[in-house]
């Protein structure tokens, strides 16, 4: 990530304490961003296998009729619960 570059430049131009302080603040903001909007995928079954893969990355992966498989790459907690709900609701509207 570019956090170390930001911290390095702030340290050079603003001093050690201010640079490291701003680097820590940016790290915390980045952490909140990453945990509130984690990666997710809708999975489909590869033909003639029992393997399920991301349907965006594997074009030959097909959805199982009547089943929507959703992989959310994070624990669900207060920071990402709205994102989780919104993604599922948007996908549900597509299938209706």
């Amino acid at each position: 990530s570019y956090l170390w570059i930001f911290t390095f430049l702030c340290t050079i131009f603003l001093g050690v304490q201010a640079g490291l302080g701003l680097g820590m603040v940016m790290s915390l903001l980045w952490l909140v961003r990453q945990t509130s909007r984690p990666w997710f995928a809708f999975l489909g079954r590869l033909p003639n296998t029992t393997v399920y893969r991301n349907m965006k990355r594997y074009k030959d992966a097909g959805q199982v009729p009547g089943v929507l498989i959703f992989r959310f790459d994070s624990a669900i907690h207060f920071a990402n619960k709205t994102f989780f709900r919104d993604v599922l609701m948007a996908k549900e509207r597509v299938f209706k």
Side-chain angles (χ1 to χ4, degrees):
S1 96
Y2 294 102
L3 289 172
W4 71 270
I5 295 172
F6 174 80
T7 304
F8 177 72
L9 292 174
C10 286
T11 302
I12 288 175
F13 293 113
L14 302 174
V16 174
Q17 288 181 335
L20 292 178
L22 286 171
M24 288 172 41
V25 168
M26 287 302 293
S27 293
L28 289 173
L29 291 174
W30 177 82
L31 179 65
V32 168
R33 164 66 171 89
Q34 291 297 104
T35 58
S36 66
R37 299 181 65 83
W39 294 102
F40 66 91
F42 292 97
L43 304 181
R45 186 175 179 179
L46 294 176
N48 303 319
T49 68
T50 58
V51 177
Y52 292 84
R53 294 288 185 246
N54 184 345
M55 289 193 293
K56 283 186 180 179
R57 296 179 74 194
Y58 292 84
K59 299 301 180 193
D60 55 338
Q63 183 177 350
V64 177
V67 178
L68 179 64
I69 303 172
F70 179 62
R71 185 186 73 213
F72 195 67
D73 293 342
S74 176
I76 299 172
H77 53 81
F78 72 95
N80 63 19
K81 69 179 178 68
T82 304
F83 178 70
F84 178 85
R85 185 192 66 221
D86 292 345
V87 168
L88 284 179
M89 292 299 182
K91 192 66 169 185
E92 180 186 31
R93 283 191 291 275
V94 169
F95 283 110
K96 281 190 174 185

